[in-house]
Amino acid sequence: MLNSLISLIKHYKSNPEKVVFKDQNRSYSYKYIYSNVFEYSKVLKNNKKLNIGIFGNNSVEYAIADCGISTTKHTMVPIPSFFNDDTIANIIKDSNIDLIFTDQVNFTRIKSIFKNTNLFIKSLSVNSKTLELFNHKRIIYTSGTTNKPKGVIQSDKQMNIAIKNLINTFNIQSKDTYLSLLPISTLLEQICSIHITLQANSLSIFNEDISKRIFSLKEDDLYFILYSKPNFLCISPIILKQLVNYLEKNTFDDFTKNIKSICVGGSKSSIDVLNRGINHLKLPIFEGYGLSEFCSVVSVNNQHFNKIGTTGAILPNIKCKIINGEIVLSGPTLMNGYYPNKIQTDEFYTGDLGSLSKEGFLTVYGRKDDVLILDNGRNIHPEYIKQLLVDKINYKEIYIYQDDNNDLCFAISLKDNDLKKNLINFIKSILPEYILPKKIYVLGKNFDQKQLLSTNGKVNSAKISNYLNLNKGEITNAIL
């Protein structure tokens, strides 16, 4: 059973009126949450074992449904709302879902895909009966960077360890506040916004409207994030960049005084953004690394152990080795398997390339699959090239890819456009000859990275070449 739900029962009994969740409209006490969680337990009690889907935006309703299903013997399947309808239909079929709960906003959409869809359950009365807890299991569908999404099976055993690790690493206390931003269908956001909050007896704030457009935030959204004065955030690199840009133009003293940790993951953050955020704005930004197969977090920087450009120290109980350049993990947070199969090994080859320093810092270079095979027969990873350039060229972003002709290309957004005149010579003086690009594109001022993002918020290299082909007027094309 989940320790966070044991904590829910404990805090409900000791301090039922304490507020644990908030949204744009109201605050929610332990008494309210407990009564509504109990309703799921009551409604689902006599059913045979089911696979129950949950579909919705970041909200208190979603958090209650997560907890309610987690108290039962049934398996929970969070369905990402940012997937298209065909992918959602495949997930429903692949995971053998019997029933789906959703919110009013998404009801019509998901009902058209799967008929046995119900609205989230709501309790009409306060319930003081004792909540019975069962062992819990959930199936998390990954974003599927190269193939169709896979169903990662995680249980209360792995989640309890991950929750405890994060509470201890960041010293999360009952007075702390977390603002939920990343899609709640991801295991990390479920852990941070729901289960850490319950176990630490802290507070989570939800904003359903912002969660609908998390991949394209507006200025008003950034204002809300800062005005909420959270102590903890988990965000993607694109959101970090927006926040840093916004804070460089606007002062939010209350935010900077209150914020204890801004955890960033999902893909590598720009060194430039990290330097501006950490060194100029004095923000506590900590990059981390994880994957659903290892209960979301494997390593993370923190206030006591932080090095820009790395993903920090390996969390307790997890063992990390580098084998032929690949990150290989073992430990108790390893998944049970990909649904419906059980895992057959104690070691998991992540498919990510990285290195582990003597001090214990893990550096992740990128996917093994992202290695570029050049026409000179050499294999190179884009992150290796970035590491060589980062301290020598004053750029905002750099994208390294191969175009339709298999030519190695750089697309660079410069801080100082005067550098454009000598850019080719600069690059030639820094890089070995065998990894010199065939083409360099200097991105115009109107370039917006959002155009290159896939549905999971990561940069899609396949979109880069297409963008450059369609926007010749915005770029300078230099053939080496």
Side-chain angles (χ1 to χ4, degrees), residues 192-233:
C192 291
S193 66
I194 303 170
H195 298 283
I196 284 179
T197 296
L198 292 174
Q199 194 158 320
N201 191 24
S202 52
L203 172 70
S204 277
I205 300 173
F206 296 92
N207 186 313
E208 191 170 354
D209 292 334
I210 287 181
S211 76
K212 294 175 191 174
R213 52 179 180 266
I214 194 60
F215 298 133
S216 55
L217 292 178
K218 301 176 181 177
E219 270 208 4
D220 287 349
D221 300 327
L222 298 172
Y223 178 86
F224 175 84
I225 293 169
L226 300 170
Y227 184 75
S228 297
K229 297 177 288 188
N231 303 111
F232 294 95
L233 289 173

Side-chain angles (χ1 to χ4, degrees), residues 372-386:
L372 303 177
I373 302 174
L374 306 182
D375 57 8
N376 58 16
R378 302 300 296 268
N379 295 352
I380 194 70
H381 199 282
E383 287 302 324
Y384 171 70
I385 299 176
K386 289 183 184 180

